[in-house]
């Protein structure tokens, strides 16, 4: 046994290995843990207050708690730039800010009046941000929105992130991230859609003699907020995340307009990714319904977009195969939907006429707005460029202002089917 150990010790490689272990062991054993030096930011809010950026971060601070929500803290600071505000937060809390797990960047609507690339410049340059965060706008305070997220007892990627993902399934929104924003910004149509999330504040009475429920602390230029609730004399104010389905249109990096209800309806109908769309038809009178409001929901949809030219002008034709099912019936005749025959096709000629008339009306309103404001939400440019490149480029070159949407025509060929 001793001879075997002596043989191993005479091995130069083994001896060097042992020496390296002895040299590095003290450093490894007494080195400060990364969790003591870094906080993990899950979201960032940016807004402008008195000519300064106010940056708020919702971060996870490892504390060894079983409930991860108890490890969430909110910090904010002001600065002439975003990086300066983040540096102030770092100085205030004595920890570095890790952005590797940042899922959302929220900015105030006012910042969209200027070019958004100025706001996003820091995030695309920093090596600290390794993810592709979702972009969200709000007309309210970004700090209040993050506070509402904190007190919703969920991490950002389990609340706001899910809200946006759900909205993407029900609208024209698709992959509203930094990467997608810059792809749209440098594309010929330079149009991008951003979801808008609101914050509602409500007061509730908790009884007499209530004290202050706020646990806000501040140090220097930054502050740590432990709750979005404040109470005086038993009245408690709570922040609540509200999604009204509002969508802002950005062109050339700047705010252009909010989508109207008609636009959202048509864009969702023409979107291949939009699902769960509802068709509300009022005053239905036929062999099945009397003075009823009938709500049909999309069960399945196939959309085929065909770019073509007619009489030298571009026409975007959409062939849509749409399967519907009844979602709700509101009838003055106490119509019992549960008692109806499950084998009946309720898509009567009257219902089909109303659906087509509703789509035609909304389409005309949408085309009018789209041509007036010159934005291309449907990526018409890319479709024509892919399938009618030479003809489309000749058409654009013939225009004085290159606004190809001005004379663009749209046609919807709808084929309805009822799901029993």
């Amino acid at each position: 046994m001793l001879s075997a150990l002596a043989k191993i010790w005479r091995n130069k490689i083994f001896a060097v290995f042992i020496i390296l272990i002895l040299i590095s062991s003290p450093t490894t054993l007494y080195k400060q843990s990364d969790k003591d030096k870094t906080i993990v930011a899950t979201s960032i809010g940016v807004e402008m207050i008195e000519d300064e950026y106010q940056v708020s971060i919702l971060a996870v601070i490892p504390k060894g708690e079983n409930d991860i929500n108890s490890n969430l803290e909110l910090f904010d600071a002001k600065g002439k730039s975003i990086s300066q505000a983040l540096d102030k937060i770092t100085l205030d809390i004595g920890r570095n800010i890790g952005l590797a797990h940042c899922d959302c960047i929220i900015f105030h609507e006012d910042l969209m009046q200027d070019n958004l690339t100025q706001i996003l410049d820091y995030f695309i340059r920093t090596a600290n941000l390794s993810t592709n965060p979702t972009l969200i706008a709000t007309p309210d305070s970004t700090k209040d929105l993050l506070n509402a997220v904190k007190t919703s007892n969920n991490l950002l990627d389990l609340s706001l992130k899910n809200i946006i993902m759900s909205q993407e399934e029900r609208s024209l929104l698709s992959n509203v991230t930094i990467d997608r924003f810059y792809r749209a910004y440098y594309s010929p149509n330079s149009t991008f859609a951003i979801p808008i999330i609101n914050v509602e504040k409500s007061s509730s009475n908790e009884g007499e003699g209530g004290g202050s429920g706020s646990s806000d602390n501040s140090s220097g230029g930054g502050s740590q907020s432990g709750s979005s609730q404040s109470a005086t004399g038993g009245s408690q104010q709570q922040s609540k995340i509200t999604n009204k389905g509002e969508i802002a249109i950005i062109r050339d990096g700047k705010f252009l307009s909010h989508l109207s209800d008609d636009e959202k309806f048509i864009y969702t109908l023409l979107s291949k990714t939009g699902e769960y769309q509802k068709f509300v038809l009022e005053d239905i009178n036929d062999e099945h319904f009397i003075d009823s409001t009938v709500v049909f929901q999309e069960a399945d949809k196939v959309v085929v977009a065909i770019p073509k030219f007619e009489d030298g002008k571009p026409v975007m034709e959409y062939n849509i195969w749409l399967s519907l099912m009844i979602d709700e019936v509101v009838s003055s005749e106490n119509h019992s939907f549960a008692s109806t025959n499950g084998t009946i096709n309720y898509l009567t000629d009257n219902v089909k006429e109303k659906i087509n008339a509703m789509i035609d009306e909304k389409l005309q309103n949408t085309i009018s707005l789209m041509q007036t404001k010159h934005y291309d939400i449907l990526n018409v440019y890319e479709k024509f460029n892919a399938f009618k490149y030479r003809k489309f480029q000749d058409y654009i070159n013939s225009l004085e202002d290159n606004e190809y949407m001005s004379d663009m025509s749209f046609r919807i060929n709808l084929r309805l089917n009822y799901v029993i």
Side-chain angles (χ1 to χ4, degrees):
M1 181 68 180
L2 292 176
S3 61
L5 291 175
K7 186 176 180 180
I8 293 174
W9 180 251
R10 286 195 297 269
N11 189 310
K12 294 182 179 179
I13 296 177
F14 179 75
V16 171
F17 177 71
I18 295 297
I19 292 172
L20 289 175
I21 291 178
L22 293 174
I23 293 174
S24 60
S25 291
T27 305
T28 305
L29 292 174
Y30 298 104
K31 186 178 180 180
Q32 187 179 12
S33 173
D34 286 342
K35 74 175 184 178
D36 297 328
K37 299 188 298 181
T38 306
I39 61 173
V40 180
T42 61
S43 57
I44 296 180
V46 182
E47 57 193 312
M48 187 71 74
I49 297 179
E50 296 178 352
D51 297 328
E52 285 189 313
Y53 288 106
Q54 175 169 289
V55 178
S56 305
I57 63 170
L58 186 63
V60 177
I61 302 180
K63 298 178 182 178
E65 301 286 345
N66 292 328
D67 182 10
I68 196 169
N69 297 296
S70 63
N71 296 340
L72 279 176
E73 296 294 348
L74 180 61
F75 305 94
D76 73 280
K78 294 180 181 179
K80 293 296 182 182
S81 65
I82 294 175
S83 59
Q84 186 183 60
L86 290 174
D87 288 343
K88 285 185 178 180
I89 295 177
T90 299
L91 292 174
D92 290 335
I93 64 179
R95 297 191 183 190
N96 296 321
I97 301 173
L99 302 179
H101 297 280
C102 180
D103 284 326
C104 289
I105 298 175
I106 307 162
F107 49 86
H108 196 276
E109 265 191 331
D110 290 346
L111 295 178
M112 294 193 295
Q113 304 300 327
D114 297 322
N115 200 314
L116 273 182
T117 57
Q118 299 176 8
I119 309 300
L120 299 178
D121 182 80
Y122 168 80
F123 298 103
I124 65 170
R125 292 181 185 276
T126 179
N128 197 11
L129 183 66
S130 58
T131 57
N132 191 19
T134 295
L135 301 180
I136 301 173
T138 180
D140 306 306
S141 166
T142 59
K143 181 180 178 181
D144 288 344
L145 180 55
L146 291 178
N147 239 335
V149 172
K150 181 181 182 300
T151 55
S152 67
N153 296 322
N154 285 302
L155 279 175
L156 187 62
D157 59 348
L158 298 178
S159 53
L160 268 184
K161 189 76 172 181
N162 276 8
I163 289 174
I164 301 305
M165 290 175 64
S166 176
Q167 189 174 352
E168 287 181 351
E169 293 178 352
R170 291 166 168 79
S171 68
L172 62 102
L173 293 175
S174 178
N175 192 25
V176 287
T177 60
I178 287 184
D179 178 71
R180 179 66 181 84
F181 169 80
Y182 276 98
R183 287 177 183 271
Y185 181 76
Y186 289 108
S187 68
N189 64 57
S190 66
T191 306
F192 187 68
I194 292 182
I196 298 175
I197 303 297
N198 299 80
V199 181
E200 286 187 358
K201 291 186 177 181
S202 59
S203 298
S204 60
N205 294 325
E206 298 290 339
E208 297 294 328
S212 175
S214 173
S215 60
D216 289 357
N217 299 313
S218 61
S219 173
S223 67
Q224 173 183 340
S225 174
S227 173
S228 66
Q229 304 174 353
S230 60
T232 304
S235 178
Q236 196 171 50
Q237 192 177 65
Q238 299 178 337
S239 296
K240 175 185 175 183
I241 302 171
T242 303
N243 184 13
K244 300 178 181 179
E246 295 181 353
I247 297 174
I249 300 303
I250 308 295
R251 188 181 183 190
D252 296 324
K254 296 182 180 181
F255 173 78
L256 186 63
S257 68
H258 292 103
L259 287 184
S260 66
D261 290 338
D262 286 350
E263 288 177 293
K264 286 186 286 187
F265 180 92
I266 291 298
Y267 291 143
T268 302
L269 177 65
L270 301 182
S271 171
K272 294 182 179 181
T273 58
E275 300 177 352
Y276 313 112
Q277 190 166 18
K278 295 184 186 294
F279 299 77
V280 181
L281 307 179
E282 298 178 345
D283 300 326
I284 301 297
N285 289 280
D286 55 23
E287 59 266 36
H288 304 301
F289 307 105
I290 301 175
D291 295 331
S292 301
T293 296
V294 184
V295 181
F296 288 90
Q297 178 174 307
E298 170 195 330
D300 191 22
K301 179 178 66 175
V302 177
V303 180
V304 178
I306 304 175
K308 58 175 67 175
F309 279 86
E310 294 180 358
D311 298 327
K313 292 187 178 181
V315 177
M316 199 68 220
E317 183 175 273
Y318 291 89
N319 294 323
I320 303 176
W321 289 264
L322 184 62
S323 298
L324 301 175
M325 60 184 181
I326 289 184
D327 191 50
E328 184 180 4
V329 178
V330 180
S331 174
S332 60
E333 297 295 324
N334 295 321
H335 181 279
S336 176
F337 177 57
S339 65
T340 60
N341 189 337
T343 62
I344 295 177
N345 183 352
Y346 292 98
L347 276 179
T348 62
D349 291 339
N350 180 35
V351 170
K352 290 181 179 179
E353 288 177 5
K354 281 186 172 289
I355 292 177
N356 280 291
M358 178 177 64
I359 291 175
D360 287 341
E361 180 183 358
K362 292 179 182 295
L363 177 61
Q364 295 307 314
N365 294 337
T366 299
I367 292 174
S368 176
L369 290 169
M370 190 163 45
Q371 292 179 339
T372 301
K373 298 176 181 178
H374 304 293
Y375 53 66
D376 182 6
I377 299 297
L378 299 171
N379 293 321
V380 171
Y381 186 99
E382 294 180 4
K383 293 179 175 65
F384 272 95
N385 218 36
F387 298 101
K388 301 287 182 180
Y389 175 78
R390 188 174 297 278
K391 216 169 186 179
F392 188 56
Q393 291 301 320
D394 290 342
Y395 170 75
I396 290 180
N397 292 334
S398 67
L399 302 175
E400 294 182 0
D401 53 6
N402 290 334
E403 294 293 352
Y404 58 91
M405 295 299 294
S406 300
D407 291 327
M408 182 77 63
S409 298
F410 291 84
R411 184 184 303 142
I412 295 178
N413 300 322
L414 185 64
R415 296 165 178 83
L416 293 172
N417 178 50
Y418 183 74
V419 177
I420 297 177

PDB file of all heavy atoms in Angstrom, residues 320-345:
ATOM      1  N   ILE A 320     -60.377  33.262 -46.619  1.00  0.00           N
ATOM      2  CA  ILE A 320     -60.480  32.825 -45.226  1.00  0.00           C
ATOM      3  C   ILE A 320     -61.523  31.716 -45.105  1.00  0.00           C
ATOM      4  O   ILE A 320     -62.675  31.885 -45.520  1.00  0.00           O
ATOM      5  CB  ILE A 320     -60.852  33.995 -44.302  1.00  0.00           C
ATOM      6  CG1 ILE A 320     -59.823  35.123 -44.426  1.00  0.00           C
ATOM      7  CG2 ILE A 320     -60.943  33.524 -42.848  1.00  0.00           C
ATOM      8  CD1 ILE A 320     -60.176  36.369 -43.618  1.00  0.00           C
ATOM      9  N   TRP A 321     -61.094  30.598 -44.553  1.00  0.00           N
ATOM     10  CA  TRP A 321     -62.015  29.515 -44.194  1.00  0.00           C
ATOM     11  C   TRP A 321     -62.195  29.577 -42.685  1.00  0.00           C
ATOM     12  O   TRP A 321     -61.259  29.307 -41.918  1.00  0.00           O
ATOM     13  CB  TRP A 321     -61.441  28.169 -44.610  1.00  0.00           C
ATOM     14  CG  TRP A 321     -61.444  27.965 -46.095  1.00  0.00           C
ATOM     15  CD1 TRP A 321     -62.373  27.308 -46.842  1.00  0.00           C
ATOM     16  CD2 TRP A 321     -60.437  28.404 -47.018  1.00  0.00           C
ATOM     17  NE1 TRP A 321     -62.025  27.320 -48.179  1.00  0.00           N
ATOM     18  CE2 TRP A 321     -60.840  27.998 -48.315  1.00  0.00           C
ATOM     19  CE3 TRP A 321     -59.246  29.133 -46.891  1.00  0.00           C
ATOM     20  CZ2 TRP A 321     -60.095  28.267 -49.453  1.00  0.00           C
ATOM     21  CZ3 TRP A 321     -58.511  29.413 -48.022  1.00  0.00           C
ATOM     22  CH2 TRP A 321     -58.929  28.977 -49.287  1.00  0.00           C
ATOM     23  N   LEU A 322     -63.403  29.935 -42.264  1.00  0.00           N
ATOM     24  CA  LEU A 322     -63.660  30.216 -40.851  1.00  0.00           C
ATOM     25  C   LEU A 322     -64.737  29.284 -40.301  1.00  0.00           C
ATOM     26  O   LEU A 322     -65.856  29.226 -40.828  1.00  0.00           O
ATOM     27  CB  LEU A 322     -64.107  31.668 -40.679  1.00  0.00           C
ATOM     28  CG  LEU A 322     -64.333  32.184 -39.266  1.00  0.00           C
ATOM     29  CD1 LEU A 322     -63.045  32.147 -38.455  1.00  0.00           C
ATOM     30  CD2 LEU A 322     -64.898  33.606 -39.294  1.00  0.00           C
ATOM     31  N   SER A 323     -64.380  28.554 -39.266  1.00  0.00           N
ATOM     32  CA  SER A 323     -65.335  27.677 -38.579  1.00  0.00           C
ATOM     33  C   SER A 323     -65.773  28.335 -37.285  1.00  0.00           C
ATOM     34  O   SER A 323     -64.934  28.779 -36.485  1.00  0.00           O
ATOM     35  CB  SER A 323     -64.695  26.314 -38.286  1.00  0.00           C
ATOM     36  OG  SER A 323     -64.339  25.654 -39.486  1.00  0.00           O
ATOM     37  N   LEU A 324     -67.091  28.403 -37.067  1.00  0.00           N
ATOM     38  CA  LEU A 324     -67.654  29.074 -35.897  1.00  0.00           C
ATOM     39  C   LEU A 324     -68.503  28.118 -35.076  1.00  0.00           C
ATOM     40  O   LEU A 324     -69.044  27.135 -35.603  1.00  0.00           O
ATOM     41  CB  LEU A 324     -68.514  30.270 -36.325  1.00  0.00           C
ATOM     42  CG  LEU A 324     -67.831  31.376 -37.133  1.00  0.00           C
ATOM     43  CD1 LEU A 324     -68.855  32.414 -37.569  1.00  0.00           C
ATOM     44  CD2 LEU A 324     -66.720  32.030 -36.316  1.00  0.00           C
ATOM     45  N   MET A 325     -68.621  28.446 -33.808  1.00  0.00           N
ATOM     46  CA  MET A 325     -69.550  27.742 -32.925  1.00  0.00           C
ATOM     47  C   MET A 325     -70.214  28.762 -32.020  1.00  0.00           C
ATOM     48  O   MET A 325     -69.666  29.844 -31.776  1.00  0.00           O
ATOM     49  CB  MET A 325     -68.823  26.687 -32.093  1.00  0.00           C
ATOM     50  CG  MET A 325     -67.729  27.231 -31.197  1.00  0.00           C
ATOM     51  SD  MET A 325     -66.856  25.903 -30.329  1.00  0.00           S
ATOM     52  CE  MET A 325     -65.670  26.845 -29.366  1.00  0.00           C
ATOM     53  N   ILE A 326     -71.404  28.436 -31.531  1.00  0.00           N
ATOM     54  CA  ILE A 326     -72.129  29.365 -30.664  1.00  0.00           C
ATOM     55  C   ILE A 326     -71.471  29.402 -29.287  1.00  0.00           C
ATOM     56  O   ILE A 326     -71.218  28.373 -28.675  1.00  0.00           O
ATOM     57  CB  ILE A 326     -73.611  28.961 -30.538  1.00  0.00           C
ATOM     58  CG1 ILE A 326     -74.333  29.235 -31.849  1.00  0.00           C
ATOM     59  CG2 ILE A 326     -74.283  29.737 -29.405  1.00  0.00           C
ATOM     60  CD1 ILE A 326     -75.822  28.952 -31.807  1.00  0.00           C
ATOM     61  N   ASP A 327     -71.198  30.619 -28.828  1.00  0.00           N
ATOM     62  CA  ASP A 327     -70.582  30.810 -27.522  1.00  0.00           C
ATOM     63  C   ASP A 327     -71.609  31.255 -26.482  1.00  0.00           C
ATOM     64  O   ASP A 327     -71.508  30.910 -25.305  1.00  0.00           O
ATOM     65  CB  ASP A 327     -69.460  31.843 -27.632  1.00  0.00           C
ATOM     66  CG  ASP A 327     -68.598  31.901 -26.396  1.00  0.00           C
ATOM     67  OD1 ASP A 327     -68.157  30.829 -25.950  1.00  0.00           O
ATOM     68  OD2 ASP A 327     -68.355  33.006 -25.885  1.00  0.00           O
ATOM     69  N   GLU A 328     -72.598  32.046 -26.919  1.00  0.00           N
ATOM     70  CA  GLU A 328     -73.608  32.559 -25.975  1.00  0.00           C
ATOM     71  C   GLU A 328     -74.821  33.039 -26.758  1.00  0.00           C
ATOM     72  O   GLU A 328     -74.703  33.520 -27.889  1.00  0.00           O
ATOM     73  CB  GLU A 328     -73.024  33.711 -25.151  1.00  0.00           C
ATOM     74  CG  GLU A 328     -73.959  34.255 -24.087  1.00  0.00           C
ATOM     75  CD  GLU A 328     -73.352  35.391 -23.286  1.00  0.00           C
ATOM     76  OE1 GLU A 328     -72.220  35.806 -23.620  1.00  0.00           O
ATOM     77  OE2 GLU A 328     -74.009  35.874 -22.358  1.00  0.00           O
ATOM     78  N   VAL A 329     -75.987  32.898 -26.130  1.00  0.00           N
ATOM     79  CA  VAL A 329     -77.238  33.407 -26.691  1.00  0.00           C
ATOM     80  C   VAL A 329     -77.957  34.225 -25.624  1.00  0.00           C
ATOM     81  O   VAL A 329     -78.194  33.734 -24.513  1.00  0.00           O
ATOM     82  CB  VAL A 329     -78.156  32.264 -27.178  1.00  0.00           C
ATOM     83  CG1 VAL A 329     -79.470  32.834 -27.702  1.00  0.00           C
ATOM     84  CG2 VAL A 329     -77.468  31.445 -28.256  1.00  0.00           C
ATOM     85  N   VAL A 330     -78.261  35.474 -25.955  1.00  0.00           N
ATOM     86  CA  VAL A 330     -79.035  36.334 -25.051  1.00  0.00           C
ATOM     87  C   VAL A 330     -80.347  36.637 -25.757  1.00  0.00           C
ATOM     88  O   VAL A 330     -80.374  37.311 -26.786  1.00  0.00           O
ATOM     89  CB  VAL A 330     -78.290  37.639 -24.726  1.00  0.00           C
ATOM     90  CG1 VAL A 330     -79.123  38.497 -23.779  1.00  0.00           C
ATOM     91  CG2 VAL A 330     -76.921  37.340 -24.132  1.00  0.00           C
ATOM     92  N   SER A 331     -81.448  36.115 -25.206  1.00  0.00           N
ATOM     93  CA  SER A 331     -82.727  36.213 -25.891  1.00  0.00           C
ATOM     94  C   SER A 331     -83.796  36.784 -24.981  1.00  0.00           C
ATOM     95  O   SER A 331     -83.875  36.435 -23.798  1.00  0.00           O
ATOM     96  CB  SER A 331     -83.165  34.826 -26.387  1.00  0.00           C
ATOM     97  OG  SER A 331     -84.460  34.868 -26.940  1.00  0.00           O
ATOM     98  N   SER A 332     -84.620  37.665 -25.530  1.00  0.00           N
ATOM     99  CA  SER A 332     -85.763  38.207 -24.779  1.00  0.00           C
ATOM    100  C   SER A 332     -86.867  37.184 -24.623  1.00  0.00           C
ATOM    101  O   SER A 332     -87.774  37.347 -23.816  1.00  0.00           O
ATOM    102  CB  SER A 332     -86.307  39.447 -25.497  1.00  0.00           C
ATOM    103  OG  SER A 332     -86.725  39.108 -26.812  1.00  0.00           O
ATOM    104  N   GLU A 333     -86.793  36.108 -25.396  1.00  0.00           N
ATOM    105  CA  GLU A 333     -87.796  35.051 -25.346  1.00  0.00           C
ATOM    106  C   GLU A 333     -87.363  33.902 -24.438  1.00  0.00           C
ATOM    107  O   GLU A 333     -87.899  32.796 -24.550  1.00  0.00           O
ATOM    108  CB  GLU A 333     -88.053  34.521 -26.761  1.00  0.00           C
ATOM    109  CG  GLU A 333     -88.632  35.545 -27.707  1.00  0.00           C
ATOM    110  CD  GLU A 333     -90.026  35.988 -27.293  1.00  0.00           C
ATOM    111  OE1 GLU A 333     -90.793  35.152 -26.788  1.00  0.00           O
ATOM    112  OE2 GLU A 333     -90.322  37.191 -27.447  1.00  0.00           O
ATOM    113  N   ASN A 334     -86.370  34.193 -23.576  1.00  0.00           N
ATOM    114  CA  ASN A 334     -85.864  33.168 -22.659  1.00  0.00           C
ATOM    115  C   ASN A 334     -85.406  31.922 -23.408  1.00  0.00           C
ATOM    116  O   ASN A 334     -85.694  30.789 -23.029  1.00  0.00           O
ATOM    117  CB  ASN A 334     -86.929  32.792 -21.613  1.00  0.00           C
ATOM    118  CG  ASN A 334     -87.277  33.940 -20.699  1.00  0.00           C
ATOM    119  OD1 ASN A 334     -86.395  34.702 -20.298  1.00  0.00           O
ATOM    120  ND2 ASN A 334     -88.554  34.085 -20.382  1.00  0.00           N
ATOM    121  N   HIS A 335     -84.724  32.155 -24.506  1.00  0.00           N
ATOM    122  CA  HIS A 335     -84.212  31.051 -25.316  1.00  0.00           C
ATOM    123  C   HIS A 335     -83.198  30.255 -24.509  1.00  0.00           C
ATOM    124  O   HIS A 335     -82.241  30.794 -23.965  1.00  0.00           O
ATOM    125  CB  HIS A 335     -83.553  31.604 -26.580  1.00  0.00           C
ATOM    126  CG  HIS A 335     -83.010  30.541 -27.484  1.00  0.00           C
ATOM    127  ND1 HIS A 335     -81.801  29.942 -27.274  1.00  0.00           N
ATOM    128  CD2 HIS A 335     -83.543  29.958 -28.600  1.00  0.00           C
ATOM    129  CE1 HIS A 335     -81.583  29.056 -28.229  1.00  0.00           C
ATOM    130  NE2 HIS A 335     -82.623  29.050 -29.047  1.00  0.00           N
ATOM    131  N   SER A 336     -83.439  28.956 -24.400  1.00  0.00           N
ATOM    132  CA  SER A 336     -82.535  28.103 -23.637  1.00  0.00           C
ATOM    133  C   SER A 336     -81.570  27.414 -24.583  1.00  0.00           C
ATOM    134  O   SER A 336     -81.952  26.511 -25.335  1.00  0.00           O
ATOM    135  CB  SER A 336     -83.324  27.060 -22.833  1.00  0.00           C
ATOM    136  OG  SER A 336     -82.433  26.189 -22.170  1.00  0.00           O
ATOM    137  N   PHE A 337     -80.352  27.872 -24.578  1.00  0.00           N
ATOM    138  CA  PHE A 337     -79.351  27.299 -25.471  1.00  0.00           C
ATOM    139  C   PHE A 337     -79.073  25.843 -25.120  1.00  0.00           C
ATOM    140  O   PHE A 337     -78.813  25.008 -25.982  1.00  0.00           O
ATOM    141  CB  PHE A 337     -78.063  28.127 -25.396  1.00  0.00           C
ATOM    142  CG  PHE A 337     -76.931  27.574 -26.229  1.00  0.00           C
ATOM    143  CD1 PHE A 337     -77.089  27.378 -27.591  1.00  0.00           C
ATOM    144  CD2 PHE A 337     -75.731  27.240 -25.642  1.00  0.00           C
ATOM    145  CE1 PHE A 337     -76.048  26.862 -28.356  1.00  0.00           C
ATOM    146  CE2 PHE A 337     -74.699  26.719 -26.405  1.00  0.00           C
ATOM    147  CZ  PHE A 337     -74.858  26.527 -27.755  1.00  0.00           C
ATOM    148  N   ALA A 338     -79.163  25.532 -23.833  1.00  0.00           N
ATOM    149  CA  ALA A 338     -78.864  24.168 -23.382  1.00  0.00           C
ATOM    150  C   ALA A 338     -79.869  23.156 -23.909  1.00  0.00           C
ATOM    151  O   ALA A 338     -79.571  21.972 -24.046  1.00  0.00           O
ATOM    152  CB  ALA A 338     -78.826  24.118 -21.853  1.00  0.00           C
ATOM    153  N   SER A 339     -81.084  23.612 -24.239  1.00  0.00           N
ATOM    154  CA  SER A 339     -82.122  22.686 -24.661  1.00  0.00           C
ATOM    155  C   SER A 339     -82.197  22.533 -26.178  1.00  0.00           C
ATOM    156  O   SER A 339     -83.029  21.800 -26.681  1.00  0.00           O
ATOM    157  CB  SER A 339     -83.482  23.176 -24.139  1.00  0.00           C
ATOM    158  OG  SER A 339     -83.819  24.418 -24.737  1.00  0.00           O
ATOM    159  N   THR A 340     -81.353  23.261 -26.917  1.00  0.00           N
ATOM    160  CA  THR A 340     -81.411  23.185 -28.367  1.00  0.00           C
ATOM    161  C   THR A 340     -80.807  21.894 -28.879  1.00  0.00           C
ATOM    162  O   THR A 340     -80.008  21.241 -28.206  1.00  0.00           O
ATOM    163  CB  THR A 340     -80.660  24.367 -28.997  1.00  0.00           C
ATOM    164  OG1 THR A 340     -79.303  24.321 -28.565  1.00  0.00           O
ATOM    165  CG2 THR A 340     -81.283  25.688 -28.594  1.00  0.00           C
ATOM    166  N   ASN A 341     -81.201  21.548 -30.083  1.00  0.00           N
ATOM    167  CA  ASN A 341     -80.700  20.340 -30.729  1.00  0.00           C
ATOM    168  C   ASN A 341     -79.243  20.545 -31.125  1.00  0.00           C
ATOM    169  O   ASN A 341     -78.921  21.464 -31.870  1.00  0.00           O
ATOM    170  CB  ASN A 341     -81.560  20.035 -31.960  1.00  0.00           C
ATOM    171  CG  ASN A 341     -81.241  18.673 -32.550  1.00  0.00           C
ATOM    172  OD1 ASN A 341     -80.161  18.128 -32.349  1.00  0.00           O
ATOM    173  ND2 ASN A 341     -82.205  18.105 -33.262  1.00  0.00           N
ATOM    174  N   GLY A 342     -78.378  19.676 -30.669  1.00  0.00           N
ATOM    175  CA  GLY A 342     -76.954  19.828 -30.925  1.00  0.00           C
ATOM    176  C   GLY A 342     -76.542  19.548 -32.351  1.00  0.00           C
ATOM    177  O   GLY A 342     -75.385  19.745 -32.713  1.00  0.00           O
ATOM    178  N   THR A 343     -77.459  19.061 -33.173  1.00  0.00           N
ATOM    179  CA  THR A 343     -77.124  18.745 -34.560  1.00  0.00           C
ATOM    180  C   THR A 343     -77.568  19.825 -35.538  1.00  0.00           C
ATOM    181  O   THR A 343     -77.417  19.675 -36.750  1.00  0.00           O
ATOM    182  CB  THR A 343     -77.766  17.409 -34.971  1.00  0.00           C
ATOM    183  OG1 THR A 343     -79.196  17.529 -34.885  1.00  0.00           O
ATOM    184  CG2 THR A 343     -77.284  16.279 -34.064  1.00  0.00           C
ATOM    185  N   ILE A 344     -78.125  20.914 -35.037  1.00  0.00           N
ATOM    186  CA  ILE A 344     -78.635  21.977 -35.906  1.00  0.00           C
ATOM    187  C   ILE A 344     -77.518  22.932 -36.294  1.00  0.00           C
ATOM    188  O   ILE A 344     -76.689  23.318 -35.460  1.00  0.00           O
ATOM    189  CB  ILE A 344     -79.778  22.741 -35.206  1.00  0.00           C
ATOM    190  CG1 ILE A 344     -80.980  21.822 -34.975  1.00  0.00           C
ATOM    191  CG2 ILE A 344     -80.206  23.947 -36.030  1.00  0.00           C
ATOM    192  CD1 ILE A 344     -82.120  22.470 -34.222  1.00  0.00           C
ATOM    193  N   ASN A 345     -77.502  23.328 -37.538  1.00  0.00           N
ATOM    194  CA  ASN A 345     -76.567  24.327 -38.035  1.00  0.00           C
ATOM    195  C   ASN A 345     -77.213  25.701 -37.867  1.00  0.00           C
ATOM    196  O   ASN A 345     -78.183  26.030 -38.553  1.00  0.00           O
ATOM    197  CB  ASN A 345     -76.233  24.067 -39.501  1.00  0.00           C
ATOM    198  CG  ASN A 345     -75.200  25.039 -40.043  1.00  0.00           C
ATOM    199  OD1 ASN A 345     -74.830  26.002 -39.380  1.00  0.00           O
ATOM    200  ND2 ASN A 345     -74.745  24.795 -41.253  1.00  0.00           N
TER     201      ASN A 345
END
